Amino acid sequence: MPKTETQTQWQDRMALEVLEVTRSELYLHLRFLSLAIGGLTPTPSAQVRGMGTDGLRLLAEPERLIRVFPKNPVLLNREYLHQLLHCIFRHPFFIADHDRPLWSLACDIAVEWSIDRLDLPCVRRIAGWVRTETYRRLGEALPAMAAEPIYRRLEEAHLDEKQLLMLQKEFRADDHRFWPKPGDQSPQARQAADQWKNLSQQMQTELETRQKDPGQGGEALAIQVKAANRSRRTYRDFLRRFAVLREELKADPDSFDLGFYSYGLSLYGNLPLIEPLESRETIKIEEFVIVVDTSLSCSGELVKNFLRETYGILRQSESFFRRTNIRILQCDDRVRTDQKITDMDQLAAYMEAFQLVGGGGTDFRPAFRYVDELICAGEFHHLKGLLYFTDGLGRFPARRPAYDAAFLFLGSQYEDADLPPWAMKLVLDEREFVPKAGSAGSAPH
């Protein structure tokens, strides 16, 4: 005799069937989502409102699925795709220090815009005035409709409670309560983050290499995926690339074996068999060049904030050797000033008296020629690299220099800056260089 199902078991079984039909519909019309569709396990759950995800499971409310599917399957298709795009754009894993409700809204707007741009019958909905007007205003102000720039724009708008609720009502399509909490290092959270990092990169490659149909909005998804996969390293992280390995006079506790030490004392009374080494190898910053663009497009306050951040990083004892060799150049269409820094006291004094010099056009070549001359004059022995801080585009050297070179651009409009193959690029958020009250990165006064 077959086992009788409970009401809950029947609902869960029906819910899985509905989700399977929804998955098949999305796969049929969006083949480039095939890998991503397999990234979430359909899971009926009475704990979720509508649909939601934790990065590994697609959670769906069984009773609602059964009720909505016969009347509006397109709505479920859209909600399912909404979960997939959150994960493809890696929204659940980049909450960081963002205001959570505002970040959730920014993510929902980015995803809904991408779905609307697809303009496919299986996920199409009528766009009302609020949605259309929101897209228009954000589109006029932003170079890309990705979550991060949308979040910054919403932050600047200082929305009141009524405006925030109106936008949430219009764009909210799922339950974000199951997203990993900021700083969550659990195995489940790491597995989800790593999985979607790989899937997102694979999807970016496929979107860039396949022949897309412009009528299906594939280019909109490509923009979003590219924004999600852009390096999210901060300037602090990037600066560490210019560190070198060198032996330093300092006890190395890692080489110390307590067993041999204790055995020697017990055997001979006062003679340990081994002691820690008096020097150790460390990776720190020793020699590099900072070039500051002082053309008319670069504000003096922004440059000062950039130098404050650099000072805050370098003054940490684990970031630089006691004696270092840093050159700070100011350059527009020619080198205006050259300051040699050998310790943090000199850098602090330079910060105090800093004055922006220049105001011409942007040309990157003079700074590289000048650094090459310094190397020939013996001013550098192991130059690790050059950082060029700029907010504009200029003329690049024709040849690769003998050291690493990185261009630090401000603002997402430089995402696609056409750099030479040898140049590294980091697009920075201007807010990273806004000093915070009591920040350790500020120079002493």
Side-chain angles (χ1 to χ4, degrees):
M1 181 176 179
K3 185 177 179 180
T4 304
E5 282 184 318
T6 66
Q7 177 71 10
T8 300
Q9 289 172 334
W10 178 84
Q11 286 183 340
D12 288 351
R13 182 167 60 83
M14 289 296 101
L16 284 173
E17 290 186 11
V18 169
L19 291 174
E20 185 58 38
V21 172
T22 304
R23 282 175 54 151
S24 299
E25 186 78 5
L26 293 177
Y27 178 76
L28 183 63
H29 293 93
L30 298 165
R31 292 299 181 90
F32 54 82
L33 286 176
S34 57
L35 289 175
I37 288 174
L40 292 177
T41 303
T43 307
S45 172
Q47 304 301 315
V48 69
R49 293 193 293 264
M51 288 190 192
T53 183
D54 57 6
L56 297 175
R57 300 172 297 167
L58 185 139
L59 304 164
E61 185 181 355
E63 185 178 351
R64 179 176 176 273
L65 282 178
I66 297 168
R67 183 178 71 252
V68 172
F69 180 69
K71 302 175 183 178
N72 195 353
V74 171
L75 176 62
L76 299 183
N77 293 343
R78 192 178 180 100
E79 290 179 357
Y80 201 123
L81 180 58
H82 190 101
Q83 311 310 309
L84 291 174
L85 293 183
H86 271 321
C87 293
I88 291 168
F89 301 155
R90 296 156 68 189
H91 293 158
F93 316 112
F94 291 131
I95 299 173
D97 57 351
H98 294 341
D99 175 78
R100 194 175 180 103
L102 208 59
W103 175 247
S104 289
L105 174 59
C107 294
D108 283 335
I109 293 174
V111 167
E112 287 295 293
W113 178 80
S114 298
I115 297 175
D116 288 333
R117 285 293 298 272
L118 289 171
D119 195 30
L120 292 172
C122 65
V123 292
R124 186 180 295 147
R125 61 160 288 175
I126 298 173
W129 182 86
V130 172
R131 181 171 294 241
T132 303
E133 187 66 10
T134 301
Y135 290 161
R136 184 187 67 79
R137 291 183 177 181
L138 290 173
E140 290 175 354
L142 301 176
M145 288 283 279
E148 190 65 44
I150 292 174
Y151 174 83
R152 291 198 297 268
R153 187 64 179 173
L154 293 175
E155 211 176 26
E156 293 166 0
H158 301 293
L159 302 173
D160 59 34
E161 185 176 354
K162 183 179 179 180
Q163 292 171 316
L164 183 61
L165 288 174
M166 179 182 67
L167 291 175
Q168 288 174 335
K169 183 178 179 180
E170 176 64 34
F171 291 101
R172 180 182 290 161
D174 60 334
D175 189 344
H176 293 178
R177 290 179 300 151
F178 301 90
W179 287 10
K181 299 294 187 295
D184 186 356
Q185 294 298 316
S186 66
Q188 181 181 2
R190 289 200 300 269
Q191 178 187 349
D194 291 343
Q195 169 183 283
W196 285 104
K197 178 181 178 181
N198 293 332
L199 286 174
S200 186
Q201 290 172 345
Q202 291 176 32
M203 184 172 170
Q204 179 182 345
T205 301
E206 184 173 354
L207 286 171
E208 289 176 347
T209 56
R210 68 183 308 216
Q211 190 68 31
K212 300 182 290 294
D213 179 0
Q216 292 195 357
E219 65 280 1
L221 287 180
I223 292 171
Q224 289 268 30
V225 175
K226 185 176 181 180
N229 290 331
R230 177 171 66 85
S231 172
R232 292 175 182 263
R233 292 170 298 183
T234 63
Y235 172 59
R236 181 179 297 268
D237 298 326
F238 197 77
L239 190 56
R240 295 193 180 102
R241 291 187 59 135
F242 294 88
V244 296
L245 180 67
R246 199 182 77 179
E247 193 172 80
E248 190 176 26
L249 288 176
K250 188 174 182 180
D252 184 4
D254 295 334
S255 67
F256 179 68
D257 192 320
L258 185 60
F260 282 106
Y261 185 88
S262 302
Y263 178 71
L265 291 178
S266 64
L267 186 64
Y268 301 109
N270 62 351
L271 182 64
L273 290 180
I274 189 170
E275 291 185 349
L277 296 176
E278 294 181 357
S279 64
R280 64 175 179 177
E281 289 186 329
T282 54
I283 298 178
K284 295 185 180 181
I285 294 168
E286 182 180 24
E287 288 188 346
F288 75 105
V289 177
I290 298 172
V291 185
V292 176
D293 177 7
T294 60
S295 62
L296 286 171
S297 61
C298 215
S299 84
E301 192 58 36
L302 194 58
V303 172
K304 289 181 181 179
N305 291 340
F306 166 74
L307 291 175
R308 285 193 193 102
E309 179 69 11
T310 304
Y311 171 83
I313 297 169
L314 295 180
R315 68 180 249 173
Q316 297 176 12
S317 60
E318 293 303 316
S319 295
F320 69 98
F321 293 108
R322 189 173 61 87
R323 300 293 292 181
T324 189
N325 183 13
I326 302 171
R327 301 296 277 260
I328 301 178
L329 310 181
Q330 294 193 49
C331 182
D332 45 21
D333 53 1
R334 62 189 177 91
V335 176
R336 300 288 182 171
T337 66
D338 173 15
Q339 177 65 46
K340 184 174 182 178
I341 304 293
T342 58
D343 58 43
M344 291 306 100
D345 291 337
Q346 284 187 359
L347 182 55
Y350 178 73
M351 293 278 299
E352 285 290 325
F354 176 79
Q355 293 291 329
L356 197 65
V357 180
T362 302
D363 190 341
F364 302 132
R365 297 172 298 172
F368 284 89
R369 286 196 295 265
Y370 185 80
V371 171
D372 289 341
E373 291 171 4
L374 291 177
I375 294 174
C376 292
E379 291 291 327
F380 291 109
H381 301 286
H382 306 287
L383 179 60
K384 183 63 178 176
L386 178 148
L387 296 176
Y388 211 122
F389 177 77
T390 179
D391 68 347
L393 296 176
R395 302 182 68 180
F396 296 93
R399 294 185 178 182
R400 186 191 191 284
Y403 42 85
D404 290 336
F407 290 85
L408 312 180
F409 292 102
L410 280 172
S412 55
Q413 65 266 35
Y414 300 113
E415 284 282 357
D416 298 316
D418 188 18
L419 270 66
W422 48 263
M424 291 181 282
K425 177 180 70 173
L426 182 66
V427 180
L428 303 168
D429 184 348
E430 185 172 333
R431 296 179 306 166
E432 189 177 349
F433 302 109
V434 176
K436 300 177 177 61
S439 170
S442 300
H445 296 287

